[in-house]
Amino acid sequence: MANYKKLWWSLISILMLTFALLGYFGTEIYRQAPPIPAEVVTTSGELLMTEETILNGQTAWQSVGGMQLGSIWGHGAYQAPDWTADWLHRELEHWLELTAQAEYGQSFASLSRAEKNGLEFALKEEYRYNRYNPSSKQLIVSATRAEAIALTADYYQRLFGDDPEFNETRGNFAMKNNTLPSQLRREEMTQFFFWTAWAAATNRPDKEVTYTNNWPHEPLIDNRPTAENLVWSLISIILLVAGVGGLVWGWAFLRKKDEVEPKAPAQDPLSLVKLTPSQKSLGKYIFVVVALFSLQVFLGGFTAHYTIEGQGFYGINTSDWLPYSLVRTWHLQAAMFWIATAFLAAGLFLAPIINGGKDPRFQKLGVDLLFWALVLVTAGTFIGNWLAIAHLIPQELSFWFGHQGYEYLDLGRFWQILKFVGILLWLVLMLRGMTPALKGEGDKNLLALFTASVVAVGLFYGAGFFYGERTNLSIMEYWRWWVVHLWVEGFFEVFATVSLSVIFYNLGLVTRTTATAASLVAASLFLVGGVPGTFHHLYFSGTTTPVMAVGATFSALEVVPLIVLGYEAWSNWRLQHSAPWMQRLKWPLMFFVAVAFWNMLGAGVLGFMINPPIALYYIQGLNTTPTHAHAALFGVYGFLALGFCLLILRYIRPNLHFNEKLMSTAFWWLNIGLVLMLFTSLLPIGLIQFYASATEGLWYARSEAFMQQDFLHLLRWIRTIGDVVFIVGALAVSWQVFHGVFIHKPSKQAQ
């Protein structure tokens, strides 16, 4: 496995091919995105809405929390409806009722089966036929449809206002009263909802499939899975089986070439290197990590309880000042900040080691500046989110300083820019520490790969700036997933893998050859599916069939490398027995073992559950998605981030002894709590919704009537058990880190 040249060329070829696919079909998304009409008019010429008012509605939706309050095209929160599916079904029912009254003088429910069939056929003709004129950029609708639009819009204007008739419904949807105070902005928001539903119901020009590939499932207008959906789903499953088989065979043969593992040193090599000033200053980083982690888990419990009470917390009405959309925003943003901070700290800890145990000039100053910049951005983000959702910030400033409205990228654009500046500062600090080592003699392949992963982490966050406040939703989703999938799941995965290889090599536990070859192979395996696999988030976001084909094909390959993670977990676990001093690293290693397990289960099994187009067609926007998200985001990146923090703490407090009882509680209660959260509540609810979605339609699986059933209500209560267990584990690991950083005093000898 020491043939670096072949491995490097494999990695480079994979990157060139996969980014070519991502770029080429990205241009297709720009060309084929659902058009936003310059005008929507009736057949008699009455103006209903314009492109400007539709986009105004998009910004109004963003200002109330956007994807943190219900979802659009299946992306967002899960307590309130998917506004696209809900609007579409309501408008279709209004059209049928209006037409039945006009033609038969009675309600639709009173008609004979033959009469109903006739109206349903006319409904499909009305809604599936594309009446958008590309030349004039006008969308023409019938007078009946215009009336159905008005009736549907009236429902949403009252729902998002303070109409007392909808108090119970708002509670069931976890919405605060008067969610959007401005009457004008509510009217414009309904126009944005209409546009998303129009794209989901209308065939592309000269096609028999809608702009959203017939999503959502809506039997009234024959919105059903396409033949291409079924074909590419089958192909993705075949590729998964073939990929797993190929990997097992390759693993079996390549393993014969592995060299003998080195004998562990008599003493911990890293403990013999004097800590640099910049490394000593990392204590505040890992404290902020566990502080934000503790905040996040409490916010998670708060958010989960809103799915039960809607507007309160155990009888206390909290929605007026801490509404669901805000608490869920903070919950996700806290996770993004503490996990990213832990990864940045891990890099800053390794940089001086790579540099021969020395800090470049002013390195500590840079590390301190970066820390306070992160604190500023975190505080600014949280305050801005609150000001936006409370409508205490001018509407024209909401996107920039308040809330972008897009899940995982909720922070205002100004804070997003500052965060990117901070990441670039981290990149500079890392390169200052690694460049001298790159110029030295000897094998630099592992260091070159580590440097490349650092550069990718530093730069790819910038993809989030390629869309703006009024960008077409399809184009925005393309770039958003560059950040959420490609940056987080792709390059952070590579950075983490190579970081662990660098750590184990510097501990003398693996040879440079093994560490380098394993890192190159892992990077290739992660990225061959991970880069074009970005498209599996975009099957139904206004994209074309080729995007679905590429996404389904390559996202299946994302699961393949996760098959061997059981071996990786065993390898990490047994390292603690390689030398007596390795017992001091037992708990960081145990957290790395958990990473491998949850990577297999959360990212692999639960990830592939929602990857094939046919599966995602019915379950996009259901509780199956947060099942995967919790298992993968915390199970993989959360445990990895905490493992990095414990590792750093181990070295900046050399004579600290981890409290075995405390750490055992932390490790097992976190894992057991996560299992309970997923398999006693989230997944069962998601599977029950799946059946409802497949039989009746997505609108029903997310409806008030369905979600407020007694059994689903009970399952949401049951989640409290898992949440409490998880919180105990979180507090245990947080207290260990806090104690190690602030209470434990290292002896002079250890210093």
Side-chain angles (χ1 to χ4, degrees), residues 238-555:
I238 294 170
L239 283 174
L240 172 63
V241 175
V244 169
L247 181 64
V248 171
W249 275 76
W251 183 260
F253 284 98
L254 291 174
R255 284 283 299 153
K256 295 179 181 180
K257 300 178 183 179
D258 284 353
E259 58 187 62
V260 178
E261 294 178 357
K263 183 179 179 180
Q267 286 183 277
D268 182 348
L270 294 185
S271 69
L272 303 177
V273 180
K274 184 179 179 181
L275 288 172
T276 67
S278 71
Q279 288 175 314
K280 292 178 182 178
S281 68
L282 293 176
K284 55 182 174 288
Y285 276 78
I286 60 176
F287 164 69
V288 164
V289 168
V290 295
L292 284 174
F293 175 46
S294 299
L295 174 64
Q296 190 222 349
V297 297
F298 280 110
L299 288 169
F302 196 175
T303 305
H305 193 78
Y306 265 139
T307 67
I308 299 170
E309 286 196 50
Q311 294 181 327
F313 188 75
Y314 292 100
I316 303 172
N317 187 355
T318 54
S319 65
D320 288 339
W321 38 284
L322 287 176
Y324 171 88
S325 56
L326 176 64
V327 175
R328 191 176 189 272
T329 297
W330 283 351
H331 174 62
L332 286 179
Q333 285 303 297
M336 298 298 288
F337 277 116
W338 75 259
I339 291 173
T341 300
F343 275 63
L344 299 186
L348 294 172
F349 177 75
L350 289 174
I353 296 173
I354 293 169
N355 196 35
K358 302 187 297 291
D359 272 343
R361 194 178 181 189
F362 303 122
Q363 183 79 351
K364 182 181 183 302
L365 176 62
V367 170
D368 290 340
L369 285 174
L370 175 60
F371 172 79
W372 291 111
L374 290 173
V375 170
L376 173 66
V377 171
T378 304
T381 296
F382 276 47
I383 294 170
N385 292 155
W386 178 74
L387 291 173
I389 291 177
H391 300 285
L392 297 176
I393 190 172
Q395 64 184 53
E396 63 273 11
L397 299 180
S398 181
F399 180 87
W400 278 90
F401 296 95
H403 203 302
Q404 288 192 38
Y406 298 128
E407 195 175 27
Y408 294 106
L409 290 173
D410 306 277
L411 70 173
R413 178 54 58 87
F414 174 76
W415 305 111
Q416 185 184 9
I417 292 171
L418 288 188
K419 183 177 179 180
F420 186 52
V421 171
I423 294 172
L424 292 180
L425 174 57
W426 173 80
L427 175 59
V428 171
L429 293 172
M430 292 295 296
L431 292 177
R432 292 176 78 239
M434 295 185 298
T435 302
L438 284 169
K439 295 178 180 178
E441 298 294 328
D443 182 357
K444 296 294 179 292
N445 284 275
L446 180 61
L447 180 56
L449 182 59
F450 182 65
T451 304
S453 71
V454 167
V455 172
V457 168
L459 297 181
F460 271 84
Y461 183 75
F465 299 119
F466 285 93
Y467 67 85
E469 182 178 6
R470 299 168 76 86
T471 299
N472 185 295
L473 198 62
S474 294
I475 295 169
M476 180 285 301
E477 284 285 56
Y478 172 68
W479 290 113
R480 184 173 76 94
W481 287 109
W482 268 63
V483 178
V484 180
H485 177 92
L486 191 56
W487 184 63
V488 174
E489 297 182 43
F491 291 111
F492 260 120
E493 183 93 43
V494 174
F495 170 78
T497 301
V498 183
S499 295
L500 289 176
S501 294
V502 171
I503 290 168
F504 292 147
Y505 165 67
N506 279 280
L507 287 172
L509 302 175
V510 296
T511 64
R512 188 197 300 267
T513 301
T514 299
T516 304
S519 297
L520 283 167
V521 170
S524 296
L525 288 173
F526 285 136
L527 295 176
V528 69
V531 176
T534 304
F535 285 136
H536 83 255
H537 299 282
L538 302 174
Y539 295 153
F540 313 117
S541 296
T543 57
T544 53
T545 298
V547 170
M548 180 190 294
V550 173
T553 301
F554 284 92
S555 64

Side-chain angles (χ1 to χ4, degrees), residues 143-199:
T144 304
R145 184 167 186 179
E147 191 174 351
I149 292 169
L151 290 171
T152 309
D154 179 67
Y155 164 81
Y156 285 104
Q157 288 171 25
R158 292 189 290 157
L159 176 66
F160 280 81
D162 56 4
D163 189 330
E165 181 183 343
F166 288 86
N167 283 345
E168 182 179 355
T169 298
R170 280 191 286 269
N172 291 333
F173 291 164
M175 297 171 62
K176 68 174 184 176
N177 290 328
N178 215 16
T179 301
L180 186 57
S182 168
Q183 171 69 22
L184 174 61
R185 301 203 84 201
R186 288 201 300 271
E187 291 175 1
E188 291 176 332
M189 186 175 68
T190 64
Q191 296 175 14
F192 171 66
F193 288 173
F194 159 76
W195 174 78
T196 67
W198 170 79

Side-chain angles (χ1 to χ4, degrees), residues 43 245 303 569 717:
T43 49
T303 305
W717 268 113

Side-chain angles (χ1 to χ4, degrees), residues 616-629:
L616 199 60
Y617 179 85
Y618 290 110
I619 62 181
Q620 178 161 292
L622 305 184
N623 277 271
T624 46
T625 302
T627 301
H628 159 63

